[in-house]
Amino acid sequence: MSRAPVPPVARSQRLAAAASASVSSSVSAQGRPGVLQRLQRQQVSQRRVEFPRRLFCQELAVLLDAGIPLYEAIATLCEKEESADVARVLNSLTTDLSEGRTLSQAMREQPQAFSSLLIASIEASQRTGQTAEALRQHAAYLTWLTGLRDKLVSAAIYPAILIGASLVVISFLTVFVVPRFADIYEGMGGEMPWASAVLLGIGKGVGEHPWLTLGGLVGLGMAIAAAWKAPVVRAAVSERLWRTPVIGPRLRLIELASLYRTLGLLLQAGVAVVPALEASLELVGPSLRPSMTQATRRVREGARLSDALQRHHLTTPVSVRMMRVGEQTGELGPMLERAATFYDEELARFTEWVGKVVSPALMLIMGVLIGGIVVLMYLPIFQVADQIQ
């Protein structure tokens, strides 16, 4: 007997049902997420999430010290989390842990939330059973990094406000006040001092095209902001600052202190010297990166860490002696952290010096500029008064 043909719609429905049954049986047989869930997790990992790493490390260390298993500790953090993005990251961690992955492997699946430094510390601490200690040390490192950034920002806030306010006053004088004086002096006639003539000529041109001038100033500001985002421009500015007599050595100390603390954190977590140097290479600034690459190569060839860093100008007289003592006593990690702490005090004094010296100097410079504009505007009046007398 001939079989009746199956309509195309019915055939497609049967195929879809068979595919759905196949996926369901695969999930139930293996006990792990299906293809769709895996794709969703990959999409989450590609999104940029503002993950609170310091709080995560602190809370997870407390839960582990209390004797709660790792899976239950992260699940507890996920249950109490209010942010949907952070909860997705934590849920992905618990899913990976349930599949048999380690914590470092689960973190590596979420590069938008966990730094390579934290992953390397956790990976090394898992071999020694000191995961909670590694989390506490990383939280302390993030606290120090945040404090350093806050100090630098607070030292720059007042000068930035002063410069911004002075530029606003100068722009107001140039756009609105100077053109009025230019119209008055043009009706009076007579010769003016050349400096006043130049200023009033600029003011007259600005007065004739005020909106064009304001648009040009806004465009200039936007161009500067866009140029600052370019890596080449930022690298050039950084290189210029490093060559500045007073600021350059302090910036070098900031970079070295961050390097010592990073190396100390990794070494205390159980990371070997060469992998610790390779992980730190991603975190140092472009000014130290070539020296770090050469020092890493020398350590890989068998040189001591203190000798390699000193040969490539990555040490100070204090830090190199502290590192040698740490190498002799087997306490290189804690000694590097002490070296970083030693320079924290010097950097604190530097930020205080910036607040006491730079701010008054900027006030003097801006006062001279604004006062010079006012004097040049009134100078022709003084000259006319002298001629009348």
Side-chain angles (χ1 to χ4, degrees), residues 76-366:
T76 302
L77 296 179
C78 183
E79 291 175 0
K80 79 172 190 62
E81 184 57 47
E82 298 179 356
S83 174
D85 291 335
V86 176
R88 290 191 192 98
V89 174
L90 296 176
N91 187 45
S92 298
L93 291 181
T94 56
T95 303
D96 288 334
L97 291 175
S98 65
E99 294 177 357
R101 291 185 176 87
T102 62
L103 180 59
S104 60
Q105 292 173 344
M107 287 180 172
R108 195 170 281 112
E109 295 292 331
Q110 306 290 332
Q112 84 291 346
F114 302 103
S115 63
S116 59
L117 177 62
L118 175 58
I119 296 173
S121 301
I122 297 300
E123 186 176 11
S125 66
Q126 289 172 159
R127 295 191 290 266
T128 60
Q130 299 293 327
T131 303
E133 181 63 25
L135 289 168
R136 278 194 298 271
Q137 291 176 353
H138 194 80
Y141 169 78
L142 293 177
T143 301
W144 170 81
L145 198 63
T146 303
L148 176 62
R149 187 182 299 112
D150 291 342
K151 288 180 181 178
L152 296 177
V153 171
S154 61
I157 284 178
Y158 183 72
I161 293 176
L162 182 61
I163 293 175
S166 300
L167 291 178
V168 169
V169 173
I170 292 174
S171 301
F172 175 78
L173 291 175
T174 305
V175 175
F176 296 102
V177 179
V178 175
R180 295 179 179 271
F181 277 80
D183 294 338
I184 295 173
Y185 293 145
E186 186 177 3
M188 294 174 56
E191 295 184 359
M192 292 184 296
W194 67 271
S196 299
V198 171
L199 176 65
L200 295 175
I202 295 174
K204 184 178 180 180
V206 170
E208 293 175 353
H209 308 284
W211 297 111
L212 181 62
T213 303
L214 290 176
L217 292 175
V218 173
L220 179 62
M222 295 177 62
I224 293 175
W228 178 250
K229 294 181 180 179
V232 177
V233 176
R234 300 185 70 169
V237 173
S238 177
E239 186 68 21
R240 184 68 177 177
L241 289 176
W242 270 66
R243 296 179 181 179
T244 306
V246 178
I247 300 177
R250 300 304 186 279
L251 294 177
R252 182 173 178 271
L253 280 182
I254 292 175
E255 289 280 358
L256 290 179
S258 179
L259 172 63
Y260 297 156
R261 199 171 293 273
T262 303
L263 285 175
L265 174 67
L266 292 172
L267 293 177
Q268 290 182 80
V271 182
V273 176
V274 174
L277 287 171
E278 292 174 348
S280 302
L281 183 61
E282 303 176 0
L283 304 176
V284 298
S287 301
L288 295 183
R289 198 162 295 161
S291 301
M292 274 290 296
T293 303
Q294 297 175 5
T296 304
R297 179 178 54 82
R298 287 189 58 83
V299 173
R300 189 181 293 110
E301 293 173 355
R304 294 193 305 176
L305 177 64
S306 59
D307 295 337
L309 294 181
Q310 184 182 23
R311 181 181 180 87
H312 296 288
H313 310 289
L314 294 173
T315 59
T316 61
V318 175
S319 64
V320 69
R321 286 171 172 79
M322 296 180 74
M323 277 189 279
R324 286 172 180 168
V325 172
E327 290 171 342
Q328 295 172 1
T329 59
E331 297 290 332
L332 183 57
M335 200 60 68
L336 283 167
E337 189 171 354
R338 291 176 186 173
T341 304
F342 177 84
Y343 290 112
D344 286 346
E345 299 178 0
E346 184 171 352
L347 294 175
R349 292 194 297 269
F350 171 68
T351 55
E352 185 179 358
W353 174 84
V354 169
K356 292 182 178 180
V357 176
V358 175
S359 298
L362 285 176
M363 290 183 64
L364 179 62
I365 294 173
M366 295 303 171

Side-chain angles (χ1 to χ4, degrees), residues 14 55 155 201 218 377:
R14 291 180 182 178
L55 182 62
V218 173
M377 286 191 303

